[in-house]
Amino acid sequence: MENGIRFVALVFPGITQLDLTGPLQVFAQLPGAVVDVAWHRIEPIATDGGFSILPSTTFDTAPQADVLLVPGGQGAFELMADEAALEFVRRQGSRARYVTSVCTGAFVLGAAGLLRGRRATTHWASHSMLSMLGAIPVQARVVQDGDLITGGGITSGIDFGLVVAAELFGADAAKRVQLSMEYDPRPPFDAGSPTAPDVDRGMVDALPAIMRERREPLVRAAAARLA
């Protein structure tokens, strides 16, 4: 892959910062990578972690992405009603080599009409709602459907980033980034997915219903606008 590949990521209030910063840490180490973070204005954007991120560009001034990234967080669901943001995603996505998301950023892609008939994934607790926006939900940590690459919940963004890196520069380059990041996860508990042996079964049962109550009206409204 030639040098100078450009990554453009969306940022918005209520973003889950690791959805953004995990893959961007991968991308920033690739040869000739240029990373931009876009919002309506250049101003501090509050994350759901209690600190802010400063965009580097705006929707109007952002360069065309080779790879468009939409991260997730509760703010992604409010973003589905932001027509300027959705138009930015459509415009960038129409010319990007890859259109991508992490976690619930997939719902923004769906609200922009970019998931119709496409295989995609998202965080397990909101996974069942993806089909409302025309997607074909797939339970996997990373799902690729042609030029569409989606990652599951939060920490899967690093796995996702390495998959994108391998697509662009080959597996050896991705492995070098993985080594430089010392990405060798060995969590102290086997409780990180709904099917893990040490998982909190009560949370597995309860959280999807909580997310549906909080998010489904916004997803249905976005689906109605698409229709």
Side-chain angles (χ1 to χ4, degrees):
M1 182 72 191
E2 69 276 6
N3 287 350
I5 188 166
R6 188 173 291 274
F7 299 87
V8 176
L10 200 60
V11 68
F12 47 85
I15 189 176
T16 296
Q17 63 83 20
L18 190 57
D19 291 358
L20 174 75
T21 57
L24 290 191
Q25 186 64 41
V26 174
F27 299 157
Q29 297 185 66
L30 294 170
V34 180
V35 175
D36 282 296
V37 177
W39 176 240
H40 286 283
R41 297 164 295 279
I42 297 179
E43 62 187 11
I45 302 299
T47 73
D48 64 6
F51 58 90
S52 295
I53 292 174
L54 186 66
S56 60
T57 189
T58 69
F59 295 160
D60 291 334
T61 60
Q64 175 58 48
D66 297 301
V67 178
L68 173 67
L69 169 63
V70 182
Q74 180 58 32
F77 293 88
E78 282 75 32
L79 202 66
M80 292 191 299
D82 184 333
E83 185 53 39
L86 296 182
E87 180 54 33
F88 173 76
V89 169
R90 293 186 197 104
R91 183 173 70 250
Q92 286 278 339
S94 69
R95 297 177 59 193
R97 181 172 177 184
Y98 292 99
V99 175
T100 74
S101 67
V102 172
C103 197
T104 53
F107 287 89
V108 177
L109 295 183
L114 302 183
L115 293 188
R116 290 190 181 102
R118 308 293 296 275
R119 298 165 61 253
T121 193
T122 190
H123 190 284
W124 64 268
S126 296
H127 199 271
S128 63
M129 290 184 277
L130 264 185
S131 59
M132 297 179 190
L133 298 173
I136 302 169
V138 177
Q139 290 280 5
R141 196 153 170 86
V142 182
V143 172
Q144 182 168 4
D145 185 341
D147 62 355
L148 174 70
I149 306 176
T150 53
I154 309 178
T155 60
S156 68
I158 299 176
D159 298 46
F160 152 89
L162 292 169
V163 169
V164 174
E167 279 287 309
L168 293 169
F169 291 93
D172 287 345
K175 291 174 185 177
R176 287 192 291 270
V177 173
Q178 180 178 0
L179 178 59
S180 74
M181 292 176 63
E182 198 175 348
Y183 181 54
D184 185 23
R186 301 180 188 185
F189 312 106
D190 193 357
S193 82
T195 59
D198 298 335
V199 74
D200 183 329
R201 296 307 314 175
M203 185 174 180
V204 171
D205 294 339
L207 191 57
I210 293 169
M211 293 298 101
R212 274 192 170 271
E213 182 177 4
R214 181 183 301 173
R215 295 171 171 177
E216 185 171 339
L218 300 173
V219 177
R220 289 196 179 279
R225 286 189 291 271
L226 278 178

